[in-house]
Amino acid sequence: MPEDTEQTTAEALDAPVIQHRIPAAGADSLILAGVNDGHLKTLARLGDCRVILRGDQMILSGAVEAVEHCAPVAQRMIRLARLQRPFDIADVERFFHEAETEPAQLGAEADDETIALPGARKVIRPKSTGQRDYLASIREHDIAIGIGPAGTGKTYLAVAMAVDALMRKRVRRIILTRPAVEAGEALGFLPGDIREKVDPYLRPLYDALEDMMPPERVRKTIEEHVIEVAPLAYMRGRTLSDAFLILDEAQNATTAQMKMFLTRLGLNSKTVITGDKTQIDLARPEESGLLDIERVLSDVEGISFTYLDETDVVRHRLVKDIIRAYAVRDEADDSGGRS
């Protein structure tokens, strides 16, 4: 990488220009700068200031307000690079957003927020304030409910916490379940028995498991019923003790199914419920169990609700823009703005 890496989005600044030098000794320069200096370019573009990585210093120059805004973001990038914690352009954008909206949270990278799984391909960490709050909620409550749009890590982080609890012998088994409601497709016309019909629908849960455990370990734990992946209907009549339960896509559970699931909770068990209120596939959306528990359980001690939004999206950057565009359209429809 060249010794000097710089990018500016404002060739001429009307305001007086200042220069701020931030020590970067010990930081991995490749992590800090990013591929083709993408991290530095992104910070410069967002902050409308000039960013130079020179030796063991990161130099910010521009208007006073711009430099003051960029400095804590740059410090966070340097801190992560020193810890050998890779990040990407989307993370830089998130850091910048947090500097604008929640500056007190900007530097939060506590070790107790990480989930280090034996045999996992990577250490799992929250990437936004909302995700940090979500993980804290799971740790601190027996029933934690995460509500938000696609791509915010609701299911992935819940599965990570479940696997961590199993590996640490805090529970004896993991139960992963989803309501078998079709999102516009008819499962009944698919070939095969009931398991062959529903397994593709449960595939996201298998994918999350296989990202955190060696595939052969996943197969063995499923065969031994240490991990169970099943449709919600299979939970009826059971008492689930010493278990970590996850109900995914809970917006498609009916009120009766939700009550049934919640009353399965046994001794030494923890439950996480995830859902997206904008993707209800029930014939009568008002019967969604997820909407119902918001009204019924919001004041029950020991149950927490965490709300994620587009700022917590960790998929492709366009997913955030897509979610925002649909939200704007829905608001216009609700206010009679459909043309």
Side-chain angles (χ1 to χ4, degrees), residues 216-231:
E216 62 277 8
R217 182 80 179 270
V218 174
R219 286 193 295 271
K220 182 177 179 181
T221 53
I222 290 176
E223 289 171 359
E224 295 174 347
H225 303 290
V226 173
I227 296 178
E228 181 178 347
V229 185

Side-chain angles (χ1 to χ4, degrees), residues 232-255:
L232 180 57
Y234 285 28
M235 300 299 108
R236 190 174 299 278
R238 303 174 63 183
T239 299
L240 302 171
S241 301
D242 287 316
F244 197 117
L245 288 69
I246 299 175
L247 170 55
D248 193 34
E249 299 287 342
Q251 74 276 2
N252 289 328
T254 65
T255 55

Side-chain angles (χ1 to χ4, degrees), residues 67-136:
V67 171
E68 288 180 346
H69 198 111
C70 286
V73 181
Q75 290 167 344
R76 184 175 190 178
M77 293 165 58
I78 291 169
R79 181 164 55 251
L80 290 172
R82 282 175 175 155
L83 294 171
Q84 297 288 314
R85 294 185 180 179
F87 55 93
D88 56 28
I89 287 174
D91 291 323
V92 176
E93 293 174 344
R94 265 191 297 276
F95 301 159
F96 196 86
H97 174 78
E98 289 181 5
E100 292 181 314
T101 59
E102 301 175 84
Q105 297 290 333
L106 185 62
E109 267 99 31
D111 287 341
D112 61 2
E113 292 177 340
T114 64
I115 305 172
L117 303 174
R121 289 189 285 250
K122 55 188 173 184
V123 174
I124 299 166
R125 300 181 180 89
K127 291 192 170 186
S128 70
T129 300
Q131 289 191 351
R132 284 194 292 272
D133 292 343
Y134 179 50
L135 286 183

